[in-house]
Amino acid sequence: MSGLAQSLLQAVQAQHFGRTADAWRSGQAVDAFPSIDLAVVSFAPHRKSCWANVLFSREHPQGLVADIDAQAGAVQNIRFDADQRDASLESPAWLPGADWSRMRWTLLHGTGAHRFVAPYPASLLKLMVAVGVGLAVDAGKTAWPDELQAMIVVSDNDATDACVALLHRCGMVGHLNQRMQQLGLHTLQLNRTTSSGGWRNADGAGVGQVHMSAWDTVRLLW
């Protein structure tokens, strides 16, 4: 274990996130340790870069250290399962009392000995949408849209709708997902968005369809 990984583990453990108050439990502590996926890269001047990814969940409350090779490749010791969505278009995995042992999980990526359920990334998906817009611009299919700035700078949802709709008009959604696979960023997926720009649960996207692990997100930015 690297010194950075050890420091990250200790920093998260020191926060005692298992004591977090839960409004669904009238302010009592959460009934299961929350899921945390934390990746850090250090670019110290005049020193070799170093990196680490630590993950916590109800199955791993003390934390896991991701096994990452010297080329900063994909995580090797963890199997990522996709989040779930029920008939009400909600995620049952995170409700109080949820029994993960009785749920049917879908593999997202990996064959490692440890399992981590990748939770819905929420507004982080806007980073993937922006990359898709950039690919469309590079391909000569569109100019930079005015909405891009609002989507990234202030996380505007209406602007995100417009950018997702643009990707559909340009035929770039499938290409974006394919490009992520080509780069080895297998947990970065933007699935089941709609031509009108829908990307939320009610649109058939959202939970269980959009995925971003912390380490693959770091690698995308890097």
Side-chain angles (χ1 to χ4, degrees):
M1 183 189 305
S2 71
L4 178 58
Q6 182 65 44
S7 295
L8 293 179
L9 275 179
Q10 293 174 348
V12 175
Q13 291 167 352
Q15 304 310 309
H16 302 292
F17 283 113
R19 303 175 186 172
T20 301
D22 188 348
W24 283 343
R25 289 167 50 83
S26 301
Q28 298 181 61
V30 290
D31 66 345
F33 198 94
S35 290
I36 301 169
D37 185 3
L38 173 63
V40 173
V41 179
S42 173
F43 299 104
H46 312 299
R47 297 171 62 183
K48 184 178 180 179
S49 299
C50 60
W51 50 81
N53 178 202
V54 297
L55 306 95
F56 295 76
S57 73
R58 66 186 63 194
E59 296 174 318
H60 307 288
Q62 296 305 310
L64 290 171
V65 175
D67 184 5
I68 302 168
D69 63 26
Q71 287 71 48
V75 170
Q76 299 176 0
N77 62 327
I78 298 174
R79 181 184 82 252
F80 291 91
D81 281 351
D83 200 350
Q84 296 197 14
R85 185 177 58 193
D86 60 20
S88 300
L89 302 180
E90 299 294 339
S91 178
W94 315 101
L95 296 174
D99 185 353
W100 283 16
S101 68
R102 299 174 63 87
M103 295 182 178
R104 292 185 177 182
W105 299 96
T106 301
L107 176 66
L108 179 59
H109 180 70
T111 58
H114 306 290
R115 185 266 291 278
F116 183 81
V117 176
Y120 177 58
S123 283
L124 285 175
L125 69 85
K126 294 165 186 176
L127 172 62
M128 279 200 295
V129 173
V131 171
V133 170
L135 291 172
V137 172
D138 284 347
K141 295 179 178 292
T142 184
W144 291 106
D146 294 337
E147 294 88 352
L148 184 65
Q149 181 175 4
M151 179 179 72
I152 295 300
V153 175
V154 298
S155 193
D156 184 88
N157 287 341
D158 291 337
T160 306
D161 295 346
C163 288
V164 171
L166 173 65
L167 293 182
H168 280 271
R169 289 197 303 274
C170 295
M172 292 298 294
V173 177
H175 180 69
L176 170 62
N177 287 329
Q178 181 182 29
R179 183 61 178 144
M180 295 299 100
Q181 296 295 306
Q182 291 171 344
L183 291 172
L185 307 176
H186 298 287
T187 69
L188 302 191
Q189 298 184 7
L190 186 71
N191 300 317
R192 295 180 66 92
T193 56
T194 71
S195 59
S196 61
W199 48 273
R200 302 167 181 81
N201 285 5
D203 302 307
V207 170
Q209 303 298 324
V210 180
H211 307 285
M212 298 177 72
S213 72
W215 179 241
D216 278 355
T217 300
V218 164
R219 293 169 69 211
L220 176 66
L221 291 167
W222 191 354

